[in-house]
Every structure is written in structure tokens, then in C-alpha cells.
Amino acid sequence: MSTTPRPRTTTVVVVMGVAGTGKTTIGPLVAEALGLPYAEGDDFHPAANVAKMSAGIPLDDSDRAPWLDAIGAWAHDRAGLGGVVSSSALKRSYRDRLRAAAPGVVFLHLTGDRELIERRMGDRKGHFMPTALLDSQFATLQPLQEDEAGVAVDVSGTPEEIAARAAAALRALAG
């Protein structure tokens, strides 16, 4: 008899939001709360994307396409098993691309005050995304629309508080 806990959901959750909202911090906590594996979306970026962002150059849609496809493939492979993956997924078209690859994905949109997010970005160490790109992130952001499966959760509070709110909202969404 296996002692491995079974996931509480088989849904694939994409943790989305602008840089600095805490996708990398909150994602694993939500995954743990839901009993699911976590994948870091930044790990799916081609080296050229990381170099471009490190140089302070925003990615364009053609840069994002292979990254979104890689995340979509991971989500597709997790269909029926569940998982949590981070991806900024700022535009509706990006989320549509992820849904095309993995129908049934739901989105956890981490939202917050620009000042708070900028402060958090300034405090983090060793990340390739400079604070200078935050304006381009907000300019690109298209929040979840009513016809998109997902929830929006404010990022004020501690990571544990945010993750608890997010997990509760996702459970409520799943019914």
C-alpha cells in the first residue's frame, strides 16, 4: 500500500501575473496546499529570452511563443494528474494558447498595487527580470475575463496568507 498522498485536485493551475507578484514564491506553496507538483515557468524560457530580459529588453510575442508552448506541453502532460506552473500569461492570447495546449487549465492571477510589487522586485536578489521592465509588464497585462476559468488573489500579506487565500479560492472554483 502506497503512503504517497493523492492530489486533492487533478486540475492544472497556471499562476499568472506581472513580474514581482510572487509567482515563484506563491506557486510552490499553493501546489503544496493542493497536493500537486510545481514547475517554475522561468525554467521553460529559452536562453535567448533570459538574456534579453537581463539586458532590460521586454519580450515580444514571438519571443514568448516557444516559452508558452513549452509550458503548455507540460500542462498537457499533467492533464488528469494536476499540477501548478508559473507563467506571467499577461495577455488573453497567451492564456488562449495555454488553454489550446491543455484544455481545462485554470488561472490564479496574482494581483497587487504597483508600489508594493516594485518594492518586492527591488528586494529580491539574483533574478534576471529588472524592475525597469515592470511598466512594460503592466502595459501588457490583460486581467482575467469573466469567461476565463480562474481566480484573482491580492498579493498583500505574507506568502503563507496569500497562498492560503489562493488555495481556498481554487478549491471553491473547483466546487
Side-chain angles (χ1 to χ4, degrees):
M1 181 170 164
S2 173
T3 60
T4 303
R6 298 211 19 98
R8 295 182 198 162
T9 179
T10 57
T11 300
V12 174
V13 177
V14 177
V15 182
M16 63 167 282
V18 300
T21 53
K23 296 179 295 290
T24 299
T25 301
I26 304 306
L29 294 172
V30 169
E32 182 180 352
L34 298 176
L36 297 172
Y38 173 75
E40 172 53 52
D42 286 344
D43 294 343
F44 293 89
H45 272 297
N49 284 8
V50 174
K52 195 170 183 179
M53 289 182 286
S54 295
I57 303 167
L59 300 180
D60 60 29
D61 287 354
S62 65
D63 295 322
R64 287 187 180 97
W67 174 64
L68 291 166
D69 290 344
I71 292 170
W74 183 90
H76 175 82
D77 290 347
R78 297 296 310 166
L81 301 171
V84 177
V85 62
S86 59
S87 168
S88 56
L90 297 176
K91 287 184 180 179
R92 169 72 185 247
S93 62
Y94 304 164
R95 297 188 298 272
D96 288 345
R97 190 176 190 122
L98 292 172
R99 273 191 293 272
V105 298
V106 299
F107 293 88
L108 167 58
H109 181 185
L110 299 178
T111 65
D113 174 78
R114 188 195 185 290
E115 184 179 305
L116 170 67
I117 294 167
E118 184 174 23
R119 186 171 57 250
R120 287 183 178 171
M121 282 184 78
D123 291 343
R124 67 185 184 182
K125 306 290 183 241
H127 195 279
F128 58 81
M129 177 67 91
T131 305
L133 290 182
L134 188 56
D135 286 335
S136 73
Q137 293 263 299
F138 273 107
T140 301
L141 176 64
Q142 296 172 340
L144 284 177
Q145 297 174 6
E146 286 190 25
D147 65 330
E148 294 184 89
V151 296
V153 174
D154 184 78
V155 296
S156 57
T158 67
E160 293 76 17
E161 291 167 342
I162 300 162
R165 287 195 309 269
L170 288 164
R171 285 188 192 105
L173 183 67

